[in-house]
Every structure is written in structure tokens, then in C-alpha cells.
Amino acid sequence: MTTPPTPTPTPAPTAAATPPVPRLPSASPAPWSDLVGAALLGAERRTPPVPVRPGQSAAAALLDAAAVGTVRRRAALRPAPAGERPAPAPADPRPPLPPAARRRLALLLADRSGTGAGSRRGTAPDLTELLPQWLASAVERGYRAPEALLPALLDAARARTDLRPAALALAGPRALWLARLNDAWRFALRGLGGPAALPGAGDPEAVRRLWEEGLFAERVALLTALRRRDPRAGLELLATTWATERAEDRLMFLDSLGEVLSAGDEPFLEQALSDRSRNVRGTAAELLSALPNSALAARMAERALRCVALDDRAAGEPVITIDPPRVYDAGMQRDGVLVRPPSGRGERAWWLAQLVEATPLDRWPGHLGGGGPAEIVALPVAGDRRTELLDAWCRAAVRQRNAGWARALLGAPGSAAQAAAEVAPGGSSRDVTRLLAVLPGEERALWVAEFIAVHGLADAFRMLGVCAVPWSEPLGRAVVDALDIARDAGSYPWSFSGVMGLAERCLDPAAADRLDMLTALTDEPEGASPGSGGYWSEAFQRLVGTLRLRATMHAELAGAGS
């Protein structure tokens, strides 16, 4: 039997036949932040914190290390348990927007950073200025925002604080739900999504829970809403936690009481006069002085009437004489009279001003000769204290919402130029706009219209801001006539851009058709600013176009064109 040949063993592959498998460096890998820093600066400027093989560039070694580091980082990730699903969004029972109004909101939100920002040239309406009006109208009609537009609406409110109250009111409780899921919208948690997010009076447990556990802004809104419905219930709710509130919170809560102030609040406010916070004491005193029959008002009147008197002993016209307080006592301190005057004012004059502005205005006629506010304001004042006395009376008229005294202190619009020029830089009660705000709306608009007819628009901008929108027909006509006169006189056109912007927002849209004639390009008068004719034409075209667009928006919100 033949033995089979022994097979020749196959030789093992040599090292040259199979390339060696590269081994990772045994040293600890460089921190990921060091790799990123070297990559950002460049391998030429910073030596990478990695080993470099012979024949390899530093940049290639850095990329290799980054690749290995990426694998390590990904391989080290461990599966995490799924987070708890958020609770469903709360229901919003308000009606949805009409389809045309919904489309309009989408356009306004898409263009919120657009053409109107910055330059005011051109004839296209400024959509960024129309968005606040649209939101206010939608909230007034009780609509809710479309769910798909809530993110864009919150983004707009994040970018513009002036939009937040109306935007959050339109978004409603779902805005708060979204804000808890996205840190970019956390600002919404400091506000409140309108009345729909507040518990009703029929759910006292929800009211108590929100008051004790809610965010500060939610608590302020809750207190304000309760006070509007039932002032006593709101005050009782505040009293339950008053002693444990922070000083700055107590101050804000007191401010919210001022919206619906009544005699029933006096005992609580009298106790607040002994608060450990000076600001709280001062606010409580101011609120009490707005109650003409309060004990504090009586105490302040007793002090003030001792300092201000009518001297009618001389044969001539009676004169008001003033002798300010000589001593600052503990009673004045408790009643909120500040001891230290502002820079440039004397102590005694400062004390007197605070006493007069806290004195009920109906105490002055009987004390100063029996005349009405107009007769008292017209009386001469001895020395150089007339301005101080009138200033204090102005602040009292604003604080006490006394239209008769505000009317007397304003005087006739034709003689108000000096009063308008005396507006204090800090926005004091001497400000004509605050006195105007005390007058009924129609009277206020008529007064401003007559002021513009006599003095023009130079001092009227802030006055226009306190007039109801849309402007009444006399006020709107006065503004447009003054703008037309300014154009015909060759006035510098850009100085009226603020008033023109107000007109776009505040004129009655029904005035658009009769303003068409103003859009024509007119000849520039001699000495006019170069190019002013074209600017005025564009401005009036933009005004007319904006008014017509506002009319369309109102029709869409009413359901037309859907």
C-alpha cells in the first residue's frame, strides 16, 4: 500500500503581506475641549495635545484624535429612561378667529421684523405698528389664537415687550403651557394669559391655591380681577398673607388696590401706615389721600389749611398767603410726608407741597372765599409761591380724579402754551397730559383739538397720546389740517414723523377717502427743505393706505371676507 505524500504546510503570511492594525495610543486621550480649542486656533498656532506619528502632520494627528474622540463620546452614551410626558394643554373655550383674520395674523407675524423698521420712507403701511392694534382688537372681541401660530406669537412677544400683554391674552392658558416646555418663552410665566387663565369666583379652592402657590404676576392679576368683581373679597385675600409678603411685593399689591379704591379699604391702609417699609408707607398714604373722607385726608387738610389762608383785609383784591410748616413732627412722618426734599427745593416748601396735594380739593372753596376752582386758581399768591401752590393742586387733581379742578388748572386751550412748556422732566402732576387724562374722553379730545388749532403740533405729541382711539372727528381733522399747514409752509418734514405715525394708528379709518387729495405731489415752497414735497406725498399716501388696511383688518375680525 502506497503511503500518500505528506502535504506541504502553507507558510504563514509574512508581516509584509498583512498591514498592521493601528493601535490607539495607550496614554489618556486629550480632553475634548482641548481638541476643539486647537482646531479653532489652528495647528500652526497651537500645538495639538495629541501624539504625532512619524511622517504625520500635526493637523492630521489632530483630525485622527478628533475622530477617535468622537467614537469614544458616542460609545459612552448610555440609554436614558424616557421623560414623563407633559400633561395635555389646557382647553381654551374662546371662539377661534375667522379664517381671513387668521391669515392676516400669520402675515403680520411673518413680517414683524420687516419693512417698517428703521426708515419711514415709502408708501407701504408699517405692519410692525399694525400688529399691536390687531392684537388689541382680537382680544377685545374675545378670540383665541390659532394653535399653529402660538410659537410665532410667543416669539414676537419675546422680541417686543410692548406686545406681551395683548399677545399673552390672545394666546391664553396655552401660552403658559408652552412656556413651561421652552426656556425661550419663560417670560410668559411672569405675565398672565388673560382672564381665561384665572380661576372663577365659583372656585374658591382654585383661587386660594393660585394665591398661595402662583407666580407673582399671576397673584397680582388674580388680586386685580378679584378687586374688580368684589373689592372686599380681594382685600380679604390680600390680608391672609400680608404679614409674610416681601416689602417689594407688598408695594405692588398696594398699587393694585388703587384701581378700585373705596372707603372699605381705609382700615387696612391705615395699618399699612405703620409698615416697616418706607415705600409701602408712602403708597398707603397716597391711596388714603385719594379717599376724600379718610382720616388721613382730614389730618393733612388740617395741617395744610393752617399754612394757606386768604388775606382780604386790604382794600384791593384778596391775596392767598402761605406760611409753610416750621416743624416736621412724628405725625407728619407717619402720614407719609417725606422729610428730605429733592435737590434745589427748600424743606418747608417741600413739606407744604405734600400737605396741599394730600388735602381734599373740596376743602379749599370754603377756606378761600367760597369761589369755585376757576376763581381760586385765578387768585394772586403773595411772594413767589404761586407756582408751588398750583403744582400741588395739579397733583391733587390728578390723584383725586377731580375733573372740575383739572379743567380750571388747564385753562382755555388758547392760553395753554406756557403750561405746556412747564412740563417737569420727571413727568410730574404739573404735566398737562396728566390733567387731561382726568377729563371725560370727548372733552379731552376737544381740548387738544382746540390747542392744536391755536398752537400747532409742536407741543401736542404727548397730549395726543392720552386721547381715546380712534380719535374723534374734530381731533382728527385738527391733526390733519395742522400737518397740511406744515407742508404748505415748507416745514422740515421729518420733524412731524412722530405725529404722522400716531395719525396712522389713531385716525378713524373712515377718514381715508377724504384724505386722498393730500397724497398728490405739490410744488415745494421757497425755502422748503430739499425733497420735502416728495416726503410729504409719500407720508400722506402711507397714511391713507394704512387707514384702509386698518379698515380691512377690522372687517376681517368681524367675520367679513372669511
Side-chain angles (χ1 to χ4, degrees):
M1 180 174 182
T2 305
T3 303
T6 303
T8 303
T10 304
T14 64
T18 303
V21 178
R23 300 180 64 185
L24 296 176
S26 58
S28 299
W32 180 256
S33 59
D34 291 350
L35 298 178
V36 172
L40 290 174
L41 290 175
E44 298 82 5
R45 298 177 59 189
R46 173 181 289 183
T47 302
V50 297
V52 181
R53 297 195 303 271
Q56 185 183 37
S57 68
L62 176 61
L63 291 176
D64 285 349
V68 173
T70 299
V71 173
R72 282 197 179 101
R73 286 162 60 86
R74 291 180 177 175
L77 292 177
R78 301 178 64 185
E84 184 179 352
R85 297 181 61 182
D92 192 339
R94 296 176 295 174
L97 287 167
R102 184 190 182 284
R103 292 191 293 271
R104 179 70 61 187
L105 175 60
L107 290 173
L108 292 174
L109 291 173
D111 197 67
R112 61 186 174 85
S113 62
T115 59
S119 174
R120 292 292 292 151
R121 296 305 301 262
T123 61
D126 187 352
L127 299 186
T128 62
E129 293 298 332
L130 291 178
L131 180 56
Q133 289 195 28
W134 189 97
L135 291 173
S137 298
V139 170
E140 183 180 354
R141 294 174 183 270
Y143 291 122
R144 72 169 187 264
E147 290 79 0
L149 294 180
L150 284 175
L153 187 59
L154 286 170
D155 283 342
R158 180 182 61 174
R160 290 180 56 180
T161 56
D162 63 309
L163 296 178
R164 290 182 183 179
L168 294 180
L170 183 68
R174 294 181 177 182
L176 301 181
W177 181 81
L178 283 173
R180 293 186 177 98
L181 303 176
N182 187 338
D183 287 341
W185 301 327
R186 298 288 293 182
F187 70 89
L189 301 179
R190 299 191 295 269
L192 197 66
L198 292 173
D203 192 352
E205 179 58 27
V207 169
R208 183 197 61 79
R209 185 167 57 252
L210 181 60
W211 178 251
E212 294 179 354
E213 302 174 5
L215 299 166
F216 178 70
E218 293 175 322
R219 300 178 70 210
V220 171
L222 176 63
L223 178 62
T224 302
L226 279 179
R227 291 278 294 176
R228 289 171 181 169
R229 291 196 301 251
D230 186 348
R232 182 176 179 180
L235 188 64
E236 290 175 350
L237 182 68
L238 176 59
T240 60
T241 60
W242 177 259
T244 60
E245 302 287 356
R246 300 182 304 168
E248 54 267 34
D249 294 349
R250 295 198 303 275
L251 183 61
M252 293 295 294
F253 289 140
L254 276 189
D255 281 338
S256 67
L257 295 185
E259 182 182 335
V260 188
L261 200 60
S262 67
D265 301 325
E266 183 178 359
F268 181 86
L269 294 173
E270 276 284 344
Q271 291 181 359
L273 290 177
S274 302
D275 195 273
R276 56 187 178 274
S277 167
R278 184 184 67 179
N279 291 332
V280 172
R281 294 195 303 268
T283 301
E286 183 175 338
L287 293 175
L288 284 169
S289 67
L291 294 172
N293 297 321
S294 68
L296 178 136
R299 295 192 297 268
M300 300 294 263
E302 182 180 356
R303 299 181 182 112
L305 297 182
R306 288 199 300 261
C307 300
V308 181
L310 186 66
D311 186 357
D312 56 0
R313 294 171 296 178
E317 186 179 16
V319 176
I320 295 177
T321 60
I322 296 178
D323 182 20
R326 299 179 181 275
V327 178
Y328 180 87
D329 56 32
M332 292 168 63
Q333 181 181 18
R334 183 180 184 275
D335 286 342
V337 178
L338 301 179
V339 62
R340 294 186 180 278
S343 177
R345 297 194 66 175
E347 274 189 343
R348 296 178 62 200
W350 170 239
W351 300 339
L352 173 68
Q354 295 176 78
L355 299 180
V356 171
E357 68 185 66
T359 297
L361 288 165
D362 58 11
R363 297 290 300 273
W364 294 110
H367 185 68
L368 296 177
E375 289 79 11
I376 294 174
V377 169
L379 288 172
V381 180
D384 57 354
R385 299 190 180 276
R386 176 176 176 79
T387 299
E388 293 178 359
L389 182 61
L390 292 182
D391 282 354
W393 278 338
C394 285
R395 290 190 290 271
V398 171
R399 184 182 298 183
Q400 299 173 33
R401 311 296 299 173
N402 191 308
W405 274 84
R407 194 175 295 118
L409 290 160
L410 281 168
S415 62
Q418 183 62 32
E422 292 178 353
V423 173
S428 74
S429 300
R430 189 72 189 273
D431 191 339
V432 170
T433 60
R434 292 197 174 189
L435 288 171
L436 282 170
V438 178
L439 300 180
E442 292 185 6
E443 182 182 356
R444 185 188 320 159
L446 186 60
W447 194 97
V448 177
E450 294 177 4
F451 180 92
I452 292 172
V454 175
H455 303 289
L457 293 167
D459 295 315
F461 183 79
R462 296 184 63 228
M463 301 179 194
L464 289 169
V466 298
C467 294
V469 178
W471 289 336
S472 66
E473 196 278 333
L475 178 57
R477 185 175 62 250
V479 171
V480 173
D481 288 348
L483 289 170
D484 194 21
I485 292 171
R487 176 180 65 171
D488 292 343
S491 299
Y492 190 66
W494 294 273
S495 62
F496 294 93
S497 60
V499 174
M500 187 65 78
L502 272 180
E504 293 173 14
R505 299 190 294 272
C506 303
L507 272 175
D508 190 336
D513 290 341
R514 62 182 176 82
L515 296 181
D516 261 335
M517 65 182 68
L518 300 178
T519 61
L521 183 62
T522 59
D523 295 333
E524 296 179 5
E526 185 177 353
S529 302
S532 63
Y535 176 90
W536 282 110
S537 176
E538 288 180 357
F540 281 119
Q541 290 180 56
R542 184 172 59 247
L543 173 59
V544 171
T546 301
L547 294 179
R548 286 176 173 154
L549 181 55
R550 284 175 53 207
T552 300
M553 292 193 313
H554 286 302
E556 291 169 348
L557 285 168
S562 299

